[in-house]
Amino acid sequence: MTSSHPSLESIHHSVRATNPLVHCLTNSVVQEITADVLLAVGASPAMVSHPEEAEQFAAVASAVLVNVGNPDPPMIDAMRSAVKVARELGTPWVLDPVAVGGLTVRTELASSLVYANPAVIRANASEVINLHAAVTRTQAQGGRGVDSTDCPESALEAASALAEITGGVVAISGATDIIVSAHRITKIRGGSELMPLVIGTGCSLGAVVAAYTASTDYYHDAAVAAHAAYATAAEHAAKHSNGPGTFHAQWIDALYASLPNMAEIEES
Amino acid sequence: MTSSHPSLESIHHSVRATNPLVHCLTNSVVQEITADVLLAVGASPAMVSHPEEAEQFAAVASAVLVNVGNPDPPMIDAMRSAVKVARELGTPWVLDPVAVGGLTVRTELASSLVYANPAVIRANASEVINLHAAVTRTQAQGGRGVDSTDCPESALEAASALAEITGGVVAISGATDIIVSAHRITKIRGGSELMPLVIGTGCSLGAVVAAYTASTDYYHDAAVAAHAAYATAAEHAAKHSNGPGTFHAQWIDALYASLPNMAEIEES
Amino acid sequence: MTSSHPSLESIHHSVRATNPLVHCLTNSVVQEITADVLLAVGASPAMVSHPEEAEQFAAVASAVLVNVGNPDPPMIDAMRSAVKVARELGTPWVLDPVAVGGLTVRTELASSLVYANPAVIRANASEVINLHAAVTRTQAQGGRGVDSTDCPESALEAASALAEITGGVVAISGATDIIVSAHRITKIRGGSELMPLVIGTGCSLGAVVAAYTASTDYYHDAAVAAHAAYATAAEHAAKHSNGPGTFHAQWIDALYASLPNMAEIEES
């Protein structure tokens, strides 16, 4: 990592200073928490998914999130339109291949979008492995819906291969998060066991990664900063809550508070 | 109730031990709270409603929830596909006939699904009465949208008749919950007046009932255990909150904490 | 303001006493918070958006909300049907022209609905300016999605012009809220900086305004009372929270508590 890379602190501040407008094309279960989380970290959310409007809005957005969890046909059209515009304008966009593998509609969608050069692919280990398998037409590994049945380390090879195709970053979320791009791997340890018990904490991370890529051209660092912010907020919230209900509120407060980094970060 | 029936405690533990995957086809208002509640009680939620994917996903789910609140045409197709697969595989599924009666699309949908043998129908008293009336082509009793204008006792006859058609269980939710199946009626008293002031507490109960039916073949006991868990969590949360906002978070925490039963349960 | 106008207190009490049924046709991001807020202030929410059912349900609703944030084609049909029924029956309805301006589908929809005489148009300053521009075919002023880039004062002229077309009220939400109707302008100061950091606080205000218009024929006073309730709850919640996560819960509690008015209200 050269000295020209931005620090975590400078990336966090840049997001708050520039208030990036994040165009979220995401599943209906997590839209509210995704918007709340973006507001907490200093970004502006907008869920615009009418196919005609998605094309118009992507053109003014600072970043685009495409989360393929449970898309209906008009949403799929909107995603393709938004990605096309983002590519043309050089706007960074993030792909979250939720539960790809056994479900054919989203697997086909996510696989084809890999070739539209997402700045970051954010997923759990099973999704990274399944997405790579789908892209290379090899046998998918299973996985049970949105849950990861694989550990992040096991997805390293698939992540590197995907990063080579996209020319971007692959972020594997898990107990230890691993951020992978050409010639660089960063591990982030921290967080809380309560985080996966709040729906949308993973999906909204994709949106935060998108916001962060809008604030620096160093997408690998942007992904690391977003994951570190999440882990820090989760550690703080776990100390002030008794279960997933109170954790949810405390975690949003902690993201808003921009606490000093509490995650352990290891470069290789 | 014979001694071979599982205890409430054993059912709660079984849900946490087996982490059932609950395929939720439910309305957009309550998707987030439904997922959060399932995670809190130890189950895994998945909202997969693209018609093509719903069929694929129902085949791997431990249980299926069909909540007819505000379905659009593709969702209706997804519900029919998922129920068909669940029946073929013997996977338990739960029907929540939200606001049936005056609204024709959902009333027709719910009425036809009664004949697909849901393990449990979960509803308020007005919905049970209206669903029975729709199924038997008699005059519906009114009811004002999702609110019940009838007391649970008044729906007992309709519930018994529906249970006879499905061969399963009918759970009438209210100030006193009543669980009805052939030769058995169980009443559950407890809860809090704040619970109906949090949107989705009723709808998410349908999902929890589904999770519980995945953990025991005694569906009547599963429904009782789910309702008792709700009432217990609500009583606990009411003591630690000042209104529906803080109640929501405390109630999720209480569901997660698996407190000893605080509801009064009466068999007959 | 004549002495025959209802007091804020009497309007709040009337909502709780009559429990108005609010038919919400609103965007998927804010459906849960909208329902929770309506329950907290004593109203009953129902999101019924299947085009066929929307027409049936509008006929029994006490008030209708049309929020054009991110509508899909069936939702647009449902909105037009519900508004048609509301007009025929004299049921008050509220228009929330979310992010009109650059996005063509919703701009066309909201512009045409202005001529269906909404009791209240509720929006931020940029949306009021853009809606007026769209209705009069003049040049829209921009605006960045759902964020207002204009101050409420700057939208006064557009608001008066829209109120003249509808014969109703236009409520401009902002740091100072301004309620405009023929020969009357009311300013409401209060609230908290945390409120815009919780997604849906603005959108759900449209639903609360709808509930309040169902409880008095004085729609201007209804809008003032709804905005004052919001500002009061926000001031209270800000004192009991550390960020937007805890604010959300405390704010719902405060709306439920029906606190004495804490907002500064200025008539002109």
Side-chain angles (χ1 to χ4, degrees), chain A residues 14 21 31 35 41 58 79 101 107 137 167 201 240:
Chain A
S14 172
L21 183 57
Q31 292 187 347
V41 301
M79 288 171 171
T107 302
R137 316 275 180 211
T201 47
H240 296 85

Side-chain angles (χ1 to χ4, degrees), chain A residues 28 70 104 106 147 199 245-246, chain B residues 31 36 44 49 53 56 253:
Chain A
S28 58
N70 207 22
T104 50
R106 64 186 70 188
D147 298 326
I199 200 73
T246 47
Chain B
Q31 292 186 347
D36 278 335
S44 261
S49 59
E53 291 192 343
Q56 297 169 341
D253 280 8

Side-chain angles (χ1 to χ4, degrees), chain B residues 88-134:
Chain B
E88 286 167 6
L89 299 178
T91 304
W93 74 276
V94 170
L95 174 64
D96 191 333
V98 179
V100 295
L103 299 169
T104 50
V105 173
R106 66 186 70 188
T107 302
E108 197 174 304
L109 172 63
S111 304
S112 69
L113 289 176
V114 165
Y115 292 100
N117 304 106
V120 183
I121 296 172
R122 189 220 71 86
N124 66 38
S126 293
E127 291 160 347
V128 168
I129 292 168
N130 287 341
L131 180 61
H132 177 247

